């Protein structure tokens, strides 16, 4: 049996911040290296996921140096950019473009199975990879099965919110008896809320009014945070 070629993990960044980063560089300049410092106050997870996406798309090299295709993508107009990004996608998803896997007719289940079998993606990363690709496909007008477009996240489960002790109790009792109480809801800080709102942008790409509302709230949170820091520095 021939050995199956395994490819690197495709982009798993959130698509809207990925586009926002390109816009930021278009408004300023393309630096000689793309590293976390270029992202300003953005979270480490966001900056590293975008950098990883750019590397697997072959837009920057292993050291972070921009390639010509990246400079062209950054400087492109909003009308030209989808075409240029479309040209970069095969580098990250070779089997979707070489006839190995038909993304026009695939089911969501087949799509997930293919990602697991042919790409270095596991667990919740599958959902992130799928989210980026579906958003990119919509943005670039790439033919994609509606079943894949309607895909639902698969990483969450009924037991994911339970502690190890609670899951062990359920296993030992076979699920019978009293249901353990759910864990208390996590405390949501302004910073955490800001990140959640930014993540939601990928779902609002085709809804300008919703996108603008999210941007307004994020801007308000950032300005309030800046005001608090200013007040703390000058009591």
């Amino acid at each position: 049996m021939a050995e199956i070629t395994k490819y690197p993990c495709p982009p798993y960044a959130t698509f809207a911040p990925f586009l926002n980063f390109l816009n930021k560089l278009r408004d300023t300049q393309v630096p000689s290296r793309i590293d976390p410092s270029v992202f300003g106050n953005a979270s480490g997870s966001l900056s590293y996921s975008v950098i990883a996406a750019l590397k697997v798309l072959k837009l920057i090299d292993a050291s972070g140096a921009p390639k010509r295709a990246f400079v062209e993508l950054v400087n492109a107009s909003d009308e030209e950019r989808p075409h240029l990004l479309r040209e970069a996608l095969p580098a990250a998803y070779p089997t979707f473009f070489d006839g190995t896997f038909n993304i026009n007719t695939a089911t969501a289940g087949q799509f997930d199975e293919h990602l697991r079998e042919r790409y270095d993606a596991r667990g919740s990363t599958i959902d992130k990879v799928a989210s980026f690709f579906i958003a990119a496909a919509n943005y670039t007008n790439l033919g994609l099965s509606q079943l894949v477009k309607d895909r639902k996240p698969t990483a969450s489960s009924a037991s994911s919110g339970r502690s190890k002790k609670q899951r062990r109790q359920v296993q030992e009792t076979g699920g019978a008896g009293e249901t353990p109480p759910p864990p208390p809801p996590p405390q949501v800080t302004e910073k955490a809320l800001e990140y959640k709102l930014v993540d939601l942008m990928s779902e609002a790409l085709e809804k300008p009014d919703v996108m603008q509302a999210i941007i307004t709230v994020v801007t308000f949170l950032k300005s309030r945070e800046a005001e608090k820091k200013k007040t703390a520095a000058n009591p």
Side-chain angles (χ1 to χ4, degrees):
M1 183 183 294
E3 186 177 345
I4 297 176
T5 301
K6 199 91 166 181
Y7 296 98
C9 182
Y12 53 88
T14 307
F15 191 72
F18 175 83
L19 284 184
N20 289 341
F21 177 64
L22 299 182
N23 290 334
K24 174 188 174 183
L25 296 186
R26 183 171 62 184
D27 293 339
T28 54
Q29 68 177 56
V30 177
S32 58
R33 187 179 75 176
I34 305 300
D35 60 38
S37 68
V38 180
F39 291 79
N41 294 326
S43 68
S45 60
L46 187 151
S47 59
Y48 282 111
S49 65
V50 170
I51 291 172
L54 294 175
K55 286 182 178 179
V56 77
L57 287 166
K58 308 298 183 185
L59 294 171
I60 62 176
D61 66 20
S63 67
K67 296 185 178 181
R68 180 178 178 180
F70 178 66
V71 177
E72 292 176 349
L73 182 65
V74 167
N75 293 326
S77 66
D78 291 341
E79 292 73 28
E80 297 169 331
R81 185 176 284 164
H83 173 70
L84 294 177
L85 182 59
R86 165 67 178 78
E87 291 184 340
L89 292 178
Y93 314 91
T95 61
F96 293 170
F97 296 90
D98 64 5
T100 301
F101 185 77
N102 192 338
I103 58 175
N104 298 306
T105 59
T107 67
Q110 289 175 316
F111 180 76
D112 289 359
E113 288 168 8
H114 187 76
L115 287 177
R116 294 189 185 94
E117 291 172 359
R118 300 303 302 273
Y119 295 87
D120 188 18
R122 293 286 183 274
S124 61
T125 304
I126 295 288
D127 287 336
K128 296 176 182 179
V129 168
S131 178
F132 184 95
F133 180 74
I134 293 170
N138 289 333
Y139 179 75
T140 61
N141 294 315
L142 180 68
L144 185 62
S145 162
Q146 189 62 45
L147 292 171
V148 175
K149 288 183 178 182
D150 294 338
R151 176 191 179 279
K152 304 298 181 185
T154 60
S156 61
S157 67
S159 63
S160 62
R162 297 172 180 163
S163 67
K164 289 183 179 179
K165 181 178 179 180
Q166 289 171 333
R167 288 196 294 271
R168 186 167 60 250
Q169 288 175 339
V170 172
Q171 291 171 353
E172 290 173 352
T173 59
E178 219 174 283
T179 303
Q187 195 73 20
V188 180
T189 63
E190 285 185 11
K191 203 69 177 175
L193 176 59
E194 178 187 323
Y195 293 152
K196 288 179 182 294
L197 289 170
V198 170
D199 286 342
L200 283 175
M201 287 182 179
S202 62
E203 300 177 18
L205 287 174
E206 298 178 2
K207 300 176 182 178
D209 54 336
V210 177
M211 179 71 80
Q212 187 55 53
I214 294 174
I215 292 173
T216 300
V217 175
V218 171
T219 302
F220 169 73
L221 291 174
K222 283 184 174 293
S223 61
R224 193 162 78 167
E225 181 184 356
E227 188 63 32
K228 286 182 178 179
K229 290 182 178 179
K230 183 179 178 180
T231 302
N234 302 285

